[in-house]
Amino acid sequence: MREYAFELAMCAAVEADSDGLVARQLGSHTRIVDVVEVRRGPEFSARADITAEAIPDLAIESDVGVGRARYWKEAFDAPADRAESAVDRAVDIGFFAAERRNCRRYVRQTARYPDWFGSLRAFENKPDLGRPGDLQLQLRKDVSLGLFDEVVLVTESYVTGAHLNRIPEAVGVWRFFPEEGRFEVVREATPLSTDDPGIAVLDESPARVDVEPVTADEKARYRRRIAERAYGKGWRPDALPACERAEASGPAFHPDDALPYCAWKGRFVDPARECGADCGGYDPADPPEADVEAARARHSSWDPDPDGRDRRQVGLDRFAEE
Ligand code: SF4
């Protein structure tokens, strides 16, 4: 559980220094990454104008364009059920506008999909290097695939030369002091070749290593998917604990950060796992006043409520026919 508290504090510190956005627990090709920072690309604002949500990959890759509306079934190279749910979602969030013609649904993009993100940085959190788990394998996977421009290990432990020798050379190592929200760079990360093909390490045992080649185009798609998920998800938990002991931020953080701080435990807590009748300090109450979306908007480049396009009414215009 302390890892969770460490991770929230670390996300707040990365976000405070970033021109883009931060998200937790994102699936990459081979594993779940603790924290991802998405830096701004040249058209970040255009992306923020489209929707606050993640845009489905299938909708982006489809032949649906901005100009002429197309019959949805002719614009997707995917099974009909997957294509249809991508269309539904794209309409709901305002990336597609839909119209009905002869009982068929025609769709078009409300805006061209922009070139909106720059580099991606992955953080692997390991507060205690004395309990590394499968850290080395995870980091080797990241370096071998080269999906992220930089990979950084973040720890609270004192980092020795022996630790550094066990960590792949390209991986950066930062110490983080959660009480102060401060980083100390022990070793800079070496940028990885994200434009080249990579090797996905699927599994590794003393006797064999299962790998899969990944093309540069596939990597570009995975990167876009990660950036989109990060855009939609962020890192703050959706709700704060319904407990008298809960507060809406920790002592070293902005009071309006909408983070689940527990005065009884003296740290951030994971409301879904730690809070409730099983906790010795639980005292039922309304959750502290906090607006998670507003906090995210205040502290990052994410826009919770973009305006402008003809999207809201088309989202409601869902119909079941062809
Ligand atoms: S339920 Fe327990 S962990 Fe959660 S806020 Fe209350 S005292 Fe803290």
Side-chain angles (χ1 to χ4, degrees), residues 33-49:
V33 177
D34 285 341
V35 176
V36 174
E37 178 192 5
V38 180
R39 288 166 167 166
R40 291 172 73 106
E43 297 179 322
F44 188 97
S45 303
R47 169 64 188 81
D49 283 348

Side-chain angles (χ1 to χ4, degrees), residues 43-119:
E43 297 179 322
F44 188 97
S45 303
R47 169 64 188 81
D49 283 348
I50 296 174
T51 173
E53 310 285 340
I55 300 175
D57 208 50
L58 269 184
I60 298 168
E61 283 188 352
S62 72
D63 290 333
V64 176
V66 180
R68 186 173 61 91
R70 297 195 56 172
Y71 177 39
W72 70 274
K73 281 189 177 173
E74 292 170 356
F76 283 81
D77 181 18
D81 56 339
R82 286 188 59 219
E84 187 170 25
S85 60
V87 169
D88 289 344
R89 182 68 185 149
V91 170
D92 278 348
I93 62 176
F95 182 53
F96 284 178
E99 60 190 79
R100 188 198 307 238
R101 293 184 202 163
N102 302 323
C103 295
R104 284 180 163 189
R105 181 157 56 162
Y106 280 67
V107 286
R108 64 175 173 80
Q109 286 182 9
T110 56
R112 178 182 60 80
Y113 186 76
D115 176 16
W116 68 272
F117 62 90
S119 62

Side-chain angles (χ1 to χ4, degrees), residues 38 46 86 137 139 160 191 232-233 245 249 254 285 289 298 302:
V38 180
L137 174 60
L139 296 174
T160 64
K233 187 175 183 198
R245 265 71 183 257
S249 191
H254 291 276
E289 291 256 330
R298 262 196 305 277
W302 176 76

Side-chain angles (χ1 to χ4, degrees), residues 197-220:
I199 298 291
V201 177
L202 304 176
D203 205 2
E204 190 179 88
S205 67
R208 63 180 273 168
V209 182
D210 292 332
V211 298
E212 176 188 278
V214 179
T215 67
D217 284 351
E218 286 169 327
K219 277 174 57 171

Side-chain angles (χ1 to χ4, degrees), residues 252-322:
F253 296 83
H254 291 276
D256 59 358
D257 243 354
L259 297 175
Y261 185 81
C262 170
W264 189 66
K265 291 195 172 179
R267 61 172 171 83
F268 291 129
V269 289
D270 182 347
R273 288 175 155 183
E274 295 182 76
C275 298
D278 288 346
C279 171
Y282 179 56
D283 184 0
D286 287 337
E289 291 256 330
D291 184 334
V292 175
E293 287 196 347
R296 188 179 181 205
R298 262 196 305 277
H299 295 289
S300 76
S301 300
W302 176 76
D303 184 347
D305 193 20
D307 52 22
R309 296 198 175 77
D310 54 344
R311 58 171 69 99
R312 297 296 172 216
Q313 70 275 21
V314 297
L316 301 172
D317 187 23
R318 178 96 61 83
F319 36 86
E321 305 93 301
E322 285 287 290

